[in-house]
Amino acid sequence: QVQLVESGGGLVQAGGSLRLSCVRSVWSSAVMAWHRQAPGKQRELIARISTSGETTYADSVKGRFTISRDDAKNTVWLEMNSLKPEDSAIYYCAMGWYSRMDPYSPREWGHGTQVTVSS
């Protein structure tokens, strides 16, 4: 079973930056993604990346967040800039079923890391 371990969350002021990391326990060419879930809201997909480097972003984070991966290190990152209070959520790393971008659905989840943005 694949394990995904996130780190890098914390408390930051609005306008600040954070970098989240997700380490996989095994090598995989599957699409990797970041999702987030705020209190009282559904979990939402915010960024995906294929092993070839193709990326997609939710409109809410486009231009502020950057997803990247290094498969030699089994690691995926989410660089978050210009953070807003509405970005506060638990951020989850996920691994998809396939190496192609579509269709995407999460196969494995990490336990999540809390991001809190103060105003």
Side-chain angles (χ1 to χ4, degrees), residues 61-74:
V61 306
K62 198 174 294 183
R64 299 187 298 123
F65 291 10
T66 302
I67 187 171
S68 59
R69 65 190 286 170
D70 184 338
D71 290 332
K73 298 180 179 179
N74 287 336

Side-chain angles (χ1 to χ4, degrees), residues 16-69:
S17 299
L18 280 176
R19 190 190 198 201
L20 306 183
S21 299
C22 170
V23 179
R24 281 194 313 265
S25 59
V26 296
W27 188 90
S28 175
S29 64
V31 169
M32 298 297 297
W34 286 94
H35 300 241
R36 69 183 181 187
Q37 187 168 20
K41 294 188 177 181
Q42 287 190 329
R43 193 172 298 190
E44 64 169 331
L45 171 64
I46 57 172
R48 289 184 289 157
I49 186 167
S50 72
T51 193
S52 65
E54 182 181 358
T55 59
T56 63
Y57 297 93
D59 287 343
S60 58
V61 306
K62 198 174 294 183
R64 299 187 298 123
F65 291 10
T66 302
I67 187 171
S68 59
R69 65 190 286 170

Side-chain angles (χ1 to χ4, degrees), residues 4-12 16-24 32-37 44 46-47 49 61 64-70 74-81 83 87-94 110-117:
L4 303 174
V5 180
E6 303 99 332
S7 62
L11 174 64
V12 64
S17 299
L18 280 176
R19 190 190 198 201
L20 306 183
S21 299
C22 170
V23 179
R24 281 194 313 265
M32 298 297 297
W34 286 94
H35 300 241
R36 69 183 181 187
Q37 187 168 20
E44 64 169 331
I46 57 172
I49 186 167
V61 306
R64 299 187 298 123
F65 291 10
T66 302
I67 187 171
S68 59
R69 65 190 286 170
D70 184 338
N74 287 336
T75 303
V76 181
W77 296 274
L78 185 68
E79 184 76 33
M80 305 185 295
N81 298 314
L83 283 162
D87 293 317
S88 297
I90 299 174
Y91 283 70
Y92 297 91
C93 177
H111 291 295
T113 184
Q114 177 72 49
V115 171
T116 304
V117 185

